[in-house]
Amino acid sequence: MAAGFKTAEPLEYHRSFLKENCRPDGRELGEFRTTTLNIGSISTADGSALVKIGNTTVICGIKGELASPPTETPSKGYIVPNVDLPPLCSSRFRPGPPGEQAQAASQFVADVIESSEVIQGEDLCIEKGKLCWVLYCDIMCLDYDGNLLDACLVALVSALENVQLPEVTISKETDLAEVNMDKKRHLNIAKHPIGSSFAVFDDSIVIVDPTAEEESLSTAMMTVVTDEDDRLCTLYKPGGTSLSGEKLQDCISRAVTRNREVSKLINTVIQSVKPQK
Amino acid sequence: MEVDVQSTLTLREFGCEQNLLSRPDGSSSFVQGDSSVLAGVYGPAEVKVNKEIYDRATLEVVIHPKSGPPGVRERAREQCVRETCEAALLSSLHPRSSLSLVLQVVHDDGSLLACCLNAACMALMDAGLPMGCLFCGVTCAIDQEGQIITDPSAQQEKNSRAVLTFAIDSAQRRVMMSTTKGSFSVNELQQCIAVSQKASEKIFQFYRDSVKRRYSKTL
C-alpha cells in the first residue's frame, strides 16, 4: 500500500513524513547519512579516496604531473579538478559529453579550491618560472543518490591528504629535472573545506543531506562550505525558492558542526592507514 | 549588529531597453556601468519530446560569452540563471511547452552574473510570461580592508578578497540564489545580504521607472 502511495504521489508521501519531523529512510531532518571513507583505494594513483554518504559513492584519484607554471603566476603550481557523472551511476545521466550537472559540479569544486586555498600554490612550485606540479583531481561518481557536492569535497580533501609526491630537483649541469622516487613527501594541506548540502521543501522545511529522490522533489538546493576556522568558503545556492535569514543562519551553524564531524573522520582514517612502526 | 548601509551603497549607472529585437517574443538589453548583456526569450513553444515535463514548462538558458565558445564557467552560470528563473516563473501555467532564454554577453566589466539576471528578468517581463515575483541580481565585493562594494567593476573584483552574487526576489526581499568566491566570515555574509537587499530596492525602482517610461509613450 505504502509503495503504491509513494509511486502515485511522491511529494505527498514525503510531506506526510516531514509533517512528523522525520524522513522516509528514518532520519531526522537535520541528520546526515552514515559517511564512510577509505583512503588510498587506488594504488596506481598518487593519492586517492573513496567516500560513501549513504548510497552515494564517489571516488577521487589524483595524479601529479610536472609542467611549466603559468606565465602570470610563475611561482605557483595549480590544481585541475574534474567531476565525472558516468551513466553507470544513475539512469538520469546519458553517455556522451559531460552534462550540465557534471560541468556545474566541476566548476563548484574548482571554485572551492580557489576560494579556500586548500593548498598554497607556492607549495607546488619546484623552481620559479621553470617547473611546478599540476595535480589532476579526477572525481568520479559510482553511485548517485543525492548530495554529490558534499561527497566530492570529502573525497577531494581526503585524496589530497593521501598524495605523496616524489622529490624533484633540477640538476645544475644538465638543467633537467631529476625525480627521486625513494624520497616522497605529503602535501601541506592548509585548509580543509567541507560542504553541507541542504534541500528546501515547500519553501519552508529545510532538510540536510538529501537523497536523489528528495533532491528531485525539493524546491531549492543549497550547499554551504566552511573551513576549520569557521569561515565560509562558498555559499552556493543555484536558484530555487528564497530562504529567510534565520533559516540561512541555522544552515551555517549545521555546516560548522558537520565540518568538525567530517574532519574528525578524515583524521581517524589517516591515522589508521599510517604504517605502524 | 549595526549595518552602515547607506555609506557603502553605490551602484553604477544603469540602463535598460526592452523589446529591441523583432524575432524573439521578449527581449531586453541591460547595462550596468560598462557591463552589458542582451537577452532574448522565445516561448511558450513546442517542446522536444525528451525534454517535455508533464506539469510545467521546460526552461532552457544559454549564455554566450563575448568571444569563444561557452565553457564550464558559462554552464555554471546558466544553471544559476535557469533555476532562479524557474522559481520566479509560474511555469505550471504552460505545461508541456518550452521556454528558451538566450543571453549574449556584450561586454564584461564585473558583476556579470548580476547583469545577466537583470537582463533575464526584463526580457521575461517583456515576453509577458506569468511570474510569481520579479528578481534582480546584486554583486558585492569585500575589499582588503573589509569594505563592501556593491556592483563592482572587473578591476574592483580582481582587487577584492571575496565576491558574492545574490538574486533577490521582489516579494519578500529574500535570497533566491547565491554564489560566492573567496572566503569570508558569517558576519560579513549577513552584512552583504543586508546591503544587497537595500540595493535590490533601488534596482526594482529602476525596473519600475524604465517600464513606466516605455509604456508612457503608448498609453
Side-chain angles (χ1 to χ4, degrees):
Chain A
M1 181 59 209
F5 179 35
K6 190 181 168 188
T7 319
E9 288 283 353
L11 194 55
E12 276 306 321
Y13 177 76
H14 275 84
R15 271 185 196 140
S16 60
F17 278 94
L18 294 175
K19 232 183 329 194
E20 308 294 333
N21 279 326
C22 67
R23 290 151 75 172
D25 50 9
R27 282 187 288 162
E28 284 173 30
L29 302 189
E31 196 180 332
F32 276 85
R33 288 171 285 178
T34 323
T35 309
T36 49
L37 178 62
N38 186 326
I39 287 184
S41 338
I42 309 171
S43 59
T44 48
D46 291 315
S48 60
L50 181 108
V51 174
K52 284 188 86 169
I53 299 181
N55 287 330
T56 300
T57 313
V58 164
I59 193 160
C60 174
I62 297 179
K63 183 170 69 167
E65 274 186 14
L66 294 170
S68 50
T71 36
E72 58 264 32
T73 52
S75 60
K76 284 185 180 180
Y78 51 103
I79 304 176
V80 184
N82 183 44
V83 179
D84 194 9
L85 296 171
L88 165 81
C89 69
S90 167
S91 61
R92 76 167 78 182
F93 305 114
R94 304 258 127 234
E100 190 197 65
Q101 200 184 352
Q103 292 191 33
S106 298
Q107 182 67 40
F108 171 81
V109 176
D111 282 344
V112 170
I113 291 173
E114 203 192 319
S115 302
S116 61
E117 293 165 334
V118 184
I119 292 179
Q120 296 288 324
E122 287 80 7
D123 288 353
L124 297 173
C125 184
I126 298 162
E127 187 148 323
K128 192 181 169 187
K130 274 194 184 157
L131 203 62
C132 72
W133 284 107
V134 187
L135 299 180
Y136 290 98
C137 307
D138 286 300
I139 302 171
M140 190 181 260
C141 183
L142 303 179
D143 190 347
Y144 185 91
D145 192 19
N147 204 358
L148 174 75
L149 300 181
D150 286 15
C152 285
L153 287 185
V154 179
L156 178 80
V157 173
S158 326
L160 282 173
E161 286 276 13
N162 182 239
V163 169
Q164 277 187 312
L165 293 177
E167 195 180 70
V168 179
T169 44
I170 295 187
S171 96
K172 291 231 167 52
E173 292 124 43
T174 53
D175 212 27
L176 287 170
E178 286 174 355
V179 184
N180 183 3
M181 287 307 242
D182 300 328
K183 249 190 179 174
K184 285 192 171 185
R185 60 178 183 85
H186 282 281
L187 289 167
N188 181 22
I189 313 289
K191 291 274 159 60
H192 294 78
I194 299 294
S196 307
S197 288
F198 304 88
V200 185
F201 258 87
D202 292 334
D203 309 348
S204 54
I205 305 163
V206 179
I207 58 174
V208 305
D209 186 22
T211 63
E213 203 183 341
E214 286 166 335
E215 268 182 11
S216 62
L217 293 169
S218 69
T219 51
M221 289 285 300
M222 182 169 76
T223 304
V224 182
V225 183
T226 58
D227 62 19
E228 60 263 49
D229 304 325
D230 297 349
R231 283 176 76 79
L232 295 166
C233 303
T234 305
L235 180 72
Y236 181 66
K237 182 175 186 297
T241 50
S242 56
L243 210 60
S244 69
E246 302 87 71
K247 286 263 160 61
L248 205 62
Q249 190 61 50
D250 291 348
C251 293
I252 293 171
S253 320
R254 184 69 189 93
V256 169
T257 29
R258 170 70 176 168
N259 188 315
R260 304 245 189 290
E261 291 163 20
V262 174
S263 297
K264 214 169 118 190
L265 173 71
I266 294 177
N267 280 332
T268 330
V269 175
I270 290 170
Q271 291 304 325
S272 71
V273 296
K274 269 198 182 145
Q276 308 289 331
K277 278 174 194 165
Chain B
M1 182 186 68
E2 278 289 304
V3 184
D4 186 11
V5 168
Q6 284 308 322
S7 65
T8 49
L9 189 62
T10 46
L11 299 170
R12 291 179 288 178
E13 192 75 24
F14 276 29
C16 175
E17 193 183 344
Q18 281 183 313
N19 203 16
L20 71 166
L21 302 174
S22 66
R23 298 294 296 171
D25 297 304
S27 58
S28 77
S29 99
F30 206 93
V31 182
Q32 288 178 225
D34 287 333
S35 290
S36 169
V37 173
L38 194 63
V41 176
Y42 292 89
E46 209 160 305
V47 65
K48 274 189 200 159
V49 182
N50 59 349
K51 288 183 181 160
E52 187 180 273
I53 308 174
Y54 70 93
D55 61 347
R56 60 194 156 95
T58 311
L59 177 67
E60 264 185 313
V61 175
V62 184
I63 296 181
H64 288 286
K66 194 169 138 190
S67 59
V72 178
R73 190 166 293 275
E74 275 71 32
R75 273 295 141 75
R77 284 200 179 119
E78 281 169 11
Q79 192 192 26
C80 290
V81 175
R82 181 170 51 80
E83 296 198 9
T84 310
C85 292
E86 274 174 355
L89 283 166
L90 301 172
S91 53
S92 53
L93 294 177
H94 297 287
R96 295 180 302 281
S97 57
S98 90
L99 302 171
S100 58
L101 169 64
V102 186
L103 295 159
Q104 170 69 54
V105 178
V106 180
H107 190 73
D108 176 11
D109 186 30
S111 313
L112 188 67
L113 182 57
C115 195
C116 285
L117 285 163
N118 291 332
C121 186
M122 288 311 251
L124 292 173
M125 217 194 294
D126 185 44
L129 292 167
M131 290 161 90
C133 61
L134 298 179
F135 57 87
C136 72
V138 188
T139 302
C140 298
I142 305 174
D143 68 9
Q144 303 297 339
E145 285 89 55
Q147 286 286 326
I148 298 170
I149 308 165
T150 43
D151 196 20
S153 65
Q155 190 59 41
Q156 284 171 319
E157 274 186 15
K158 217 176 158 189
N159 295 335
S160 61
R161 183 156 58 83
V163 179
L164 302 91
T165 303
F166 301 104
I168 311 279
D169 74 307
S170 64
Q172 292 159 300
R173 299 277 141 78
R174 298 206 295 203
V175 179
M176 294 178 84
M177 190 256 346
S178 134
T179 77
T180 65
K181 223 169 173 194
S183 71
F184 45 90
S185 67
V186 180
N187 200 349
E188 283 170 330
L189 171 76
Q190 301 288 17
Q191 282 189 23
C192 283
I193 292 177
V195 168
S196 305
Q197 284 168 333
K198 265 278 190 290
S200 73
E201 276 169 35
K202 280 195 179 182
I203 299 170
F204 288 128
Q205 191 55 46
F206 173 79
Y207 280 5
R208 189 172 289 276
D209 291 344
S210 70
V211 171
K212 223 186 235 172
R213 210 173 322 117
R214 178 183 160 202
Y215 286 107
S216 65
K217 293 167 198 156
T218 50
L219 289 174

